Amino acid sequence: MVWQRDVDLVVPLWQGGDDMRVAPGAAALARLIPTGGSRLHISVTDGPRTTVDGILNLDIVAETQRQLRDRLTRRDPRRTLTLGGDCTSDLAAVQHLAARHPGMTCYWVDAHADLNTPATSPSGRAHGMPLRTLLGEGHPRMAGDRPAALPPAAVTLLATRDFDPAELDYVRTNRITHIGPDALAADPASATTGRAPRTPAYIHLDIDACDPADLPAVACPTPGGPAAPVLADTLRALHGHHDIVGIGICEYAPVIEHTPERVQALLDALALTA
């Protein structure tokens, strides 16, 4: 059965990661996924490549979040699908759904933790900051009027394997659940450990969670990840355990040579195709 949602958001935002290759990923994903009934294409303006308060392209990233929040406020959907773009593409959607569904779990399926702040980020790229923003320690222009959408206990990192030192300290200090690639390979259903069944959950899928040997069409390939079938089984386990209220898919760079069937397998596991 195809997962039902109220609106699809197509967000070709690339400035958060400063890599134009992921912009066409939003449209490519939209072509692979039948519409859920309502599909909105968010306009992302080009602008000068500037750094503000330690964040590269903050003006464009913040303006895109404002547009998304305006759309979400007007429509007030209960379930959303976001097709990005970089990892900042679904920031506003997670904020909206967390307010809509108290107690929502957020599964951050990503090779990277995205837990930096402007002060800790080695690169200044916003796509390394969205999860920390959702946890209440992001730049106010990225966070908008919902500076702490999630508590640390609501977050599970899946397949994450590349941590900056400050991110690792944050994970340990705040006891964020982390289930790495080896654990998922041994048992994909371990992804839901400690989470009550049929409770609301959001899935943020950065395509680079998959091992680049299997799926290299990503902006930041990171070795050591799960093979595509393991990641698909993990996503299927999340769907089987929870009431999925939102999905975001990002960091897909279709211009890079790859096997499209592996992307399709992930979409099938998320119940996005017939």
Side-chain angles (χ1 to χ4, degrees):
M1 180 180 294
V2 175
W3 177 65
Q4 300 299 309
R5 64 273 185 191
D6 301 314
V7 65
D8 297 354
L9 302 166
V10 183
V11 188
L13 179 63
W14 60 269
Q15 287 89 344
D18 202 36
D19 190 331
M20 293 182 66
R21 295 177 301 173
V22 303
L29 290 167
R31 288 192 293 271
L32 293 171
I33 299 170
T35 180
S38 177
R39 180 163 284 177
L40 298 177
H41 292 260
I42 304 300
S43 174
V44 179
T45 60
D46 287 327
R49 187 176 181 274
T50 60
T51 298
V52 177
D53 296 339
I55 303 178
L56 184 63
N57 300 321
L58 175 62
D59 290 339
I60 296 170
V61 173
E63 171 58 21
T64 305
Q65 302 308 319
R66 186 198 63 75
Q67 285 190 62
L68 284 163
R69 291 188 191 100
D70 286 350
R71 299 286 187 95
L72 290 165
T73 297
R74 287 200 298 269
R75 289 189 172 237
D76 195 25
R78 286 184 55 81
R79 299 172 190 269
T80 71
L81 170 66
T82 304
L83 306 175
D86 64 53
C87 277
T88 64
S89 298
D90 63 342
L91 173 58
V94 180
Q95 291 176 317
H96 174 82
L97 293 170
R100 252 326 207 127
H101 303 277
M104 183 186 83
T105 297
C106 180
Y107 289 98
W108 206 260
V109 190
D110 196 321
H112 311 90
D114 297 347
L115 283 168
N116 272 306
T117 68
T120 66
S121 172
S123 68
R125 291 182 173 89
H127 76 159
M129 305 178 193
L131 185 52
R132 189 67 167 264
T133 301
L134 290 165
L135 290 165
E137 296 184 39
H139 192 283
R141 291 184 61 195
M142 286 179 62
D145 60 357
R146 290 175 180 165
L150 298 168
V155 174
T156 294
L157 297 172
L158 294 179
T160 310
R161 52 201 183 269
D162 186 2
F163 295 87
D164 290 319
E167 293 180 305
L168 196 55
D169 287 345
Y170 185 87
V171 168
R172 290 169 174 165
T173 300
N174 291 276
R175 300 182 180 180
I176 291 177
T177 302
H178 170 224
I179 302 174
D182 291 345
L184 294 178
D187 179 14
S190 67
T192 62
T193 298
R195 304 295 183 184
R198 307 318 308 156
T199 51
Y202 185 93
I203 301 172
H204 167 96
L205 173 63
D206 182 330
I207 297 292
D208 74 14
C210 189
D211 193 280
D214 256 14
L215 217 173
V218 296
C220 300
T222 306
V230 171
L231 189 58
D233 286 345
T234 298
L235 299 173
R236 203 170 285 113
L238 298 181
H239 246 292
H241 187 81
H242 283 283
D243 174 20
I244 301 300
V245 298
I247 296 172
I249 308 172
C250 57
E251 301 281 354
Y252 177 40
V255 68
I256 298 172
E257 185 176 354
H258 65 291
T259 304
E261 289 78 9
R262 289 178 183 151
V263 176
Q264 189 67 54
L266 301 181
L267 304 181
D268 293 346
L270 288 167
L272 291 172
T273 54

